[in-house]
Amino acid sequence: MELFAPKEVARECPLKSFKFFKTKEVPTGFYDIRSGSINIRTPWWDGSVIYGSSTEKLQQVRTFKDGKLKISEDGLLLHDQEGIPVSGDVTNIWCGLSTLQALFVKEHNAVCDALKKEYPHFDDEELYRHGRLVTSAVIAKIHTIDWT
């Protein structure tokens, strides 16, 4: 399917049309749901925006100390040598999303600090997993209650 800009807009707009491609259907092998589509990204309210959707990305964002995630000294996201933010999902990144990612990284780290104080026997992995669970729940709550 292709959408075209109205003539009065097309004169002023460099984008004259926009094409939509049909999503490829694949068999699911799941009971009554015979087909579906493949998506390489998870919904952001699962926390993937800060944790990533792969083991490789998770390795990049963790400090492996006290369950915490990496963040710069100024409280913003770290950037790699190419200037790309170090965060879970940086596809279509912009300053607003980067700010929210930094906020939730700081929230995760604050949760880990609180957990460590209450449960000093928790190791790095336990602190990380509980911190992720709490922070993902906060993201889901904001999405479900406050935003939707």
Side-chain angles (χ1 to χ4, degrees), residues 23-24 26 36-44 53 89:
T23 302
K24 182 180 177 183
V26 296
S37 59
I38 296 174
N39 189 348
I40 61 169
R41 298 169 78 188
T42 63
W44 63 267
S53 299
D89 185 353

Side-chain angles (χ1 to χ4, degrees), residues 68-140:
K68 294 186 178 184
L69 302 177
K70 296 175 184 174
I71 191 139
S72 68
E73 289 183 20
D74 63 6
L76 299 175
L77 297 176
L78 291 172
H79 289 75
D80 66 16
Q81 280 75 359
E82 297 176 13
I84 307 295
V86 177
S87 194
D89 185 353
V90 293
T91 309
N92 300 325
I93 193 77
W94 62 287
C95 64
L97 181 57
S98 182
T99 301
L100 283 173
Q101 287 173 305
L103 174 73
F104 285 118
V105 167
K106 291 170 83 170
E107 176 71 11
H108 171 96
N109 290 348
V111 168
C112 288
D113 286 340
L115 287 168
K116 185 174 180 179
K117 187 176 178 182
E118 291 295 319
Y119 304 95
H121 61 280
F122 276 11
D123 63 15
D124 171 68
E125 187 66 22
E126 289 173 305
L127 289 168
Y128 162 75
R129 288 181 182 267
H130 285 84
R132 180 174 179 163
L133 180 65
V134 170
T135 305
S136 294
V138 169
I139 292 170

Side-chain angles (χ1 to χ4, degrees), residues 48-74:
S48 60
V49 70
I50 60 173
Y51 302 108
S53 299
S54 69
T55 303
E56 295 78 24
K57 183 55 82 169
L58 184 57
Q59 301 298 315
Q60 292 174 350
V61 301
R62 286 187 64 183
T63 64
F64 295 97
K65 185 174 188 308
D66 297 331
K68 294 186 178 184
L69 302 177
K70 296 175 184 174
I71 191 139
S72 68
E73 289 183 20
D74 63 6

